[in-house]
Amino acid sequence: MKNMNKRILAIGPITKDYIITPEEEYFQIGGAVFYQTLTLTRLNYNVISIISISKDDMKLLDEIDADIKYVFADKTMEYTNIYNQKLKRRQKAILPKNPIYPEQININLEEISSVLLSPLSPYDIPIETITYFKENDIKTILVPQGLLRQTDNNNNVIERDWNDIDQYLKDVDIICLDKYEAKKAFKIDSTKDELIIKILKKHNLEQIIITKAEQGSTIYTEDNIYNIPAIKTKHAVDATGLGDTYIAAYVAKLEESNNIYESGLFASITAKEKLENKGPLKSSKEKIEKELDEHRQYNKWNYYSKNK
């Protein structure tokens, strides 16, 4: 069982997000670390964050009630997220080089149980930073979306090959990707179970988590495969940060319960609650736990051993 005095660390860049939907256009603060921090705070978990941001944009975070340490950059990252009627997204971005190195991590690592590493560009989280946490016996969770993309000459976000994946994953415990990112990252044509288990063993990972939008998510360990249902809603409003909300809720609940399936279900419900509002999660932990209780009886055994 988790030592409740331990903290979850979220690390990565803040972004200035411009959201364009068929109905409206608006600005909001973004970045994986932003959604993770606000999710964990809203759910009353003990979180501390290390965020890269320009000093000129510090005012953007004035109203955020969270324990945040800053790594100052010359320019804050910017993303423009353009959604169609089906919430499919294309992106433009300005990706400055603002790496966060071990010597910039001035916190007491003895307080930290897990670290969520969320690069939004190839430059944000150097390999030596991941190694630094692993050497300090901290569980490392990598959300590698930024390692799989770059920008072209017109600032359009495009795919990139993750050629140093072996070096990145050598000190990672859990990796979380969507199904398209998984194919790109691992250079595979499908996300069949046997393929993912093979990759998990190759990289000596504890878990691979693959999110699949309306198809839910699947969590792979060496011994089991957990199929987590998506929780449906008729009130989808804002999909930005959905995966970041999911993984933050999952990691926190896993530390609390040590139950992979229920942690995945808790994360799925949390993501649904976030989807129903603009910006980060607005719902309380009590509301999500109540819905978890309602779903638990129907989904308790929705996983299977890979050996069966």
Side-chain angles (χ1 to χ4, degrees):
M1 185 61 65
K2 172 190 172 185
N3 180 344
M4 297 307 292
N5 293 321
K6 288 284 190 176
R7 313 183 77 182
I8 297 171
L9 171 62
I11 182 169
I14 282 289
T15 66
K16 295 194 287 187
D17 279 1
Y18 302 90
I19 313 298
I20 301 173
T21 75
E23 289 77 29
E24 60 182 335
E25 299 182 15
Y26 56 94
F27 168 83
Q28 64 187 25
I29 308 168
V33 68
F34 172 75
Y35 286 98
Q36 292 162 0
T37 300
L38 271 292
T39 297
L40 293 167
T41 300
R42 185 69 183 169
L43 295 176
N44 299 319
Y45 289 107
N46 197 348
V47 57
I48 182 171
S49 301
I50 297 175
I51 288 173
S52 63
I53 190 174
S54 165
K55 282 187 177 181
D56 294 337
D57 291 320
M58 287 284 291
K59 61 185 180 296
L60 294 175
L61 302 179
D62 282 349
E63 297 183 7
I64 295 178
D65 184 17
D67 190 352
I68 297 173
K69 310 298 180 186
Y70 298 100
V71 173
F72 292 114
D74 292 334
K75 187 174 180 61
T76 301
M77 191 175 291
E78 294 183 17
Y79 268 88
T80 300
N81 300 289
I82 305 164
Y83 291 94
N84 65 18
Q85 291 285 1
K86 295 183 178 180
L87 292 180
K88 299 299 182 182
R89 180 179 68 181
R90 64 184 180 90
Q91 293 179 303
K92 298 176 75 74
I94 298 174
L95 305 179
K97 294 183 179 181
N98 301 325
I100 299 174
Y101 289 107
E103 55 266 28
Q104 296 167 297
I105 300 168
N106 297 315
I107 61 173
N108 181 5
L109 293 184
E110 292 184 359
E111 296 180 351
I112 307 301
S113 55
S114 300
V115 58
L116 277 162
L117 299 149
S118 300
L120 297 181
S121 80
Y123 322 114
D124 297 325
I125 309 290
I127 293 169
E128 54 262 47
T129 299
I130 303 176
T131 300
Y132 175 69
F133 288 117
K134 190 64 176 178
E135 288 174 347
N136 282 275
D137 198 29
I138 294 169
K139 185 179 290 294
T140 54
I141 300 96
L142 179 63
V143 185
Q145 53 184 308
L147 301 173
L148 299 168
R149 60 194 185 195
Q150 58 190 16
T151 51
D152 63 17
N153 292 333
N154 295 313
N155 292 328
N156 295 302
V157 176
I158 59 174
E159 292 184 344
R160 74 183 286 267
D161 290 329
W162 189 7
N163 292 323
D164 49 0
I165 185 171
D166 291 346
Q167 290 92 331
Y168 266 93
L169 294 189
K170 67 182 176 64
D171 289 318
V172 168
D173 296 305
I174 298 173
I175 185 171
C176 181
L177 328 84
D178 68 33
K179 60 183 179 180
Y180 304 106
E181 292 167 343
K183 291 177 183 178
K184 181 68 177 176
F186 302 129
K187 295 183 171 69
I188 53 179
D189 295 326
S190 75
T191 54
K192 291 181 178 179
D193 292 342
E194 57 269 24
L195 259 179
I196 303 303
I197 291 292
K198 185 177 180 180
I199 291 165
L200 180 141
K201 289 182 175 181
K202 173 186 175 183
H203 293 289
N204 197 30
L205 295 163
E206 289 183 15
Q207 298 178 29
I208 295 177
I209 303 171
I210 299 181
T211 58
K212 305 171 184 178
E214 65 278 0
Q215 296 176 338
S217 56
T218 304
I219 303 171
Y220 297 86
T221 70
E222 187 171 346
D223 297 319
N224 292 296
I225 300 169
Y226 302 81
N227 292 304
I228 311 298
I231 309 302
K232 306 298 183 183
T233 178
K234 295 180 180 179
H235 306 288
V237 173
D238 179 12
T240 305
L242 207 58
D244 306 312
T245 300
Y246 173 100
I247 190 60
Y250 174 76
V251 169
K253 188 65 173 175
L254 186 64
E255 289 203 357
E256 184 179 72
S257 70
N258 199 32
N259 183 313
I260 290 175
Y261 181 77
E262 290 202 359
S263 298
L265 190 55
F266 177 84
S268 187
I269 296 167
T270 304
K272 182 266 296 182
E273 291 289 315
K274 179 264 168 288
L275 179 61
E276 293 178 340
N277 293 279
K278 285 183 185 177
L281 180 70
K282 304 293 192 301
S283 301
S284 67
K285 185 179 181 183
E286 290 74 20
K287 183 176 189 293
I288 295 167
E289 289 281 5
K290 182 178 179 181
E291 189 166 348
L292 177 62
D293 285 338
E294 294 170 357
H295 284 279
R296 184 182 283 118
Q297 59 181 312
Y298 301 111
N299 295 291
K300 186 174 182 181
W301 306 115
N302 191 14
Y303 68 92
Y304 58 92
S305 169
K306 71 181 183 64
N307 294 318
K308 287 185 179 178

